[in-house]
Amino acid sequence: MICRKVVYRNFRNIAYAEIEPSEGVTVLNGPNGQGKTNTLEGIFLFAGGRSFRTVHENELVRFGEEFAQIDMIYHDGHRDCTMSLRFVPRVGKRFCRKNGVPLTKLSEMVGNFRAVLFCPEHLAIVRDGPAVRRRFLDTALSQTDPGYLRSLQKYNAVLNQRNALIKMARDKHDDSIFLSTASLWSEQLAEEAEKIAATRAAYVEKLDAHVSAILSDMTGGTEKASLAYQTPRTREEYLRLLTENTERELRFGATLYGTHKDDILIHLGGREARSFGSQGQQRSIALAMKIAEGELSREVTGEYPVFLFDDILSELDASRRSYLLSGIEGRQVMITSCDEIEKDCKVYLVKDGEVSQRGGV
C-alpha cells in the first residue's frame, strides 16, 4: 500500500496543499499548531472512515468555507486508485468516491486504503480503560475484514435501539415498553456479539505472538508480554445473560452485557500491565501493539499498510525512538515532528496551514 499523492482543499486550517510522499519516510516538520496533524488526519480518514480527533465532521471544514475536500492517489498492490472525500456541513453529508464511483456506505469505503495510526493518545492504550482497547481492535479489524465492520455496525445499531428502549422504560416507569420487544433485540445483539467476539479473540491470539516477539526484541529479551481477549462467548451465552438480567438493566438504564463490555487482558511478566507496569513498560507494549497491527495487516492483505506517526517521537525515550526508526525499513511512513529527524527522507515544512517541500529524497 503506497500513498502517492494527497490534495487538500479547505481542510481544517489548510486552504490548499499538495503532498507527494516518499515511498520510504516522509517528515512533516514545523512548530505545533501549524497543521501537521491535520495532514495526517486527512490521510487517515480514507483508512478509518472517521476522524481520530473529532466526531463532528463540520470541524473538518476550514472556517468560513462551505466544504472541505481531500483527494488521494494510492497504489493498492495491484494498481493506482483514486479516492475523494468531500464534507458539506450545509447539507450535513459527506461524499466519497473511488475511481469516480460513489461509495454510499462506510463499509464500502473502509478497507480500500489501509493505514496504521500511532499518536500520543495510543501510548495510554495499556493504562486506560477497556473502551480504548476495543477501539484499537475495531479500527484494525475493520480495515482488513469487511464482514467484521458490517457486524459491528449492526451490533451498534441494535445496541443503541435496545438502550433507548431501556432508558425510556425506566424514565416512564413502564417496564413493558422494553419487555414487549426485549427478546427480539436480545437475539439480534447476541447473534452479532458472537461474530464480533470470535473475530476479536482470533485477532488478539495472533497479535499476542507478534507483540511478545517485538517486545522481547525491543528490550533485549528482558521483558515478556501476553495478550488475551476477555471474554468471547457463544450466541447462547450472550442471549442467556441478556434475558436473565433485564431487571438489573432496567434499574441501571442500559445494556450491561455484550461485546461493548469486553477487553484485552495485557500481562507483563505474569502481572497485569495496567496496574503493575511502569509508564515506560506500558509505552513499550503500546508501541509493540501498533507495530504488530501493521504486521497482521500485511499477513492478511499481502501488503504493508501506510504507517502514520503523529508527534510520537517526542513522547518516546531515546531507546524506543531508535527502535521505531530502525524498524521501518521497507514501509511507507509519514511522521509529524517539531524536530529534525536524522534519517534519509522527504521533508515538508508545515506553517500556518501551508505545506511546502523543503528537501530530502
Side-chain angles (χ1 to χ4, degrees):
M1 187 69 63
I2 297 294
C3 175
R4 298 206 185 281
K5 184 176 182 177
V6 190
V7 179
Y8 305 82
R9 295 177 178 85
N10 303 328
F11 183 75
R12 293 284 194 178
N13 71 329
I14 303 172
Y16 182 87
E18 295 184 14
I19 62 171
E20 297 184 17
S22 162
E23 292 193 11
V25 179
T26 300
V27 176
L28 300 161
N29 192 246
N32 288 326
Q34 303 300 304
K36 300 190 305 296
T37 296
N38 296 344
T39 60
L40 289 196
E41 180 183 27
I43 294 170
F44 187 73
L45 278 166
F46 289 101
R50 294 188 173 92
S51 169
F52 63 91
R53 302 165 71 195
T54 182
V55 297
H56 305 293
E57 291 189 343
N58 62 303
E59 295 178 9
L60 304 178
V61 180
R62 191 166 185 257
F63 181 75
E65 302 293 344
E66 294 185 356
F67 73 93
Q69 182 161 327
I70 316 166
D71 299 284
M72 176 189 285
I73 302 173
Y74 67 97
H75 189 77
D76 66 359
H78 303 285
R79 59 172 180 157
D80 279 353
C81 301
T82 64
M83 287 188 76
S84 67
L85 272 170
R86 187 179 180 95
F87 302 92
V88 187
R90 180 176 54 83
V91 296
K93 289 185 177 182
R94 67 155 74 181
F95 302 90
C96 180
R97 290 178 178 269
K98 178 185 177 183
N99 297 330
V101 179
L103 304 180
T104 59
K105 299 178 181 178
L106 184 67
S107 57
E108 294 175 340
M109 175 190 169
V110 174
N112 289 289
F113 174 78
R114 290 173 290 102
V116 171
L117 172 74
F118 194 16
C119 60
E121 289 76 11
H122 291 141
L123 289 169
I125 194 171
V126 178
R127 182 194 66 212
D128 283 0
V132 178
R133 291 179 285 281
R134 289 194 299 271
R135 194 176 306 122
F136 163 79
L137 290 175
D138 292 342
T139 301
L141 282 164
S142 293
Q143 293 189 54
T144 58
D145 188 341
Y148 178 84
L149 179 55
R150 287 192 293 270
S151 286
L152 186 65
Q153 290 177 312
K154 184 174 181 181
Y155 180 91
N156 287 334
V158 173
L159 178 65
N160 289 338
Q161 182 63 47
R162 195 175 188 273
N163 281 341
L165 289 171
I166 291 174
K167 186 176 185 302
M168 186 184 301
R170 188 184 67 167
D171 292 347
K172 291 182 178 295
H173 305 288
D174 183 0
D175 292 357
S176 66
I177 292 174
F178 171 61
L179 295 177
S180 61
T181 57
S183 61
L184 173 65
W185 301 114
S186 297
E187 287 172 6
Q188 292 184 58
L189 203 66
E191 182 176 349
E192 299 306 325
E194 181 183 51
K195 298 175 188 176
I196 291 168
T199 305
R200 284 177 177 175
Y203 183 85
V204 172
E205 184 177 355
K206 296 174 184 176
L207 190 74
D208 172 55
H210 281 286
V211 169
S212 179
I214 292 168
L215 186 66
S216 179
D217 185 39
M218 190 188 309
T219 62
T222 61
E223 295 182 355
K224 181 174 177 57
S226 65
L227 282 67
Y229 185 68
Q230 184 193 43
T231 304
R233 295 183 172 93
T234 65
R235 174 187 175 280
E236 290 72 23
E237 289 172 325
Y238 282 117
L239 187 57
R240 185 170 61 253
L241 286 170
L242 291 165
T243 55
E244 291 180 355
N245 293 278
T246 52
E247 289 186 9
R248 183 167 181 258
E249 289 181 322
L250 284 164
R251 288 197 304 271
F252 190 81
T255 301
L256 299 177
Y257 305 94
T259 51
H260 62 292
K261 296 291 184 179
D262 290 353
D263 196 3
I264 304 176
L265 296 180
I266 304 174
H267 286 86
L268 182 67
R271 307 177 77 189
E272 188 181 19
R274 183 182 180 187
S275 300
F276 297 100
S278 67
Q279 183 184 71
Q281 289 171 325
Q282 292 174 351
R283 289 187 166 201
S284 292
I285 296 171
L287 176 56
M289 289 174 69
K290 297 305 291 186
I291 295 173
E293 179 187 344
E295 293 294 336
L296 287 177
S297 178
R298 181 185 62 83
E299 287 182 8
V300 172
T301 66
E303 297 279 339
Y304 273 118
V306 177
F307 287 80
L308 308 174
F309 297 149
D310 182 32
D311 198 27
I312 204 67
L313 298 183
S314 62
E315 301 289 335
L316 298 173
D317 61 25
S319 63
R320 294 179 182 86
R321 187 163 56 244
S322 176
Y323 181 86
L324 180 63
L325 291 175
S326 66
I328 57 179
E329 300 297 334
R331 312 171 199 188
Q332 187 180 41
V333 182
M334 282 176 255
I335 302 173
T336 66
S337 178
C338 296
D339 305 314
E340 300 284 342
I341 294 177
E342 296 181 3
K343 195 172 185 66
D344 289 337
C345 56
K346 179 180 280 190
V347 179
Y348 283 92
L349 179 64
V350 183
K351 185 176 181 180
D352 294 329
E354 296 184 359
V355 184
S356 57
Q357 186 176 346
R358 192 172 64 187
V361 295

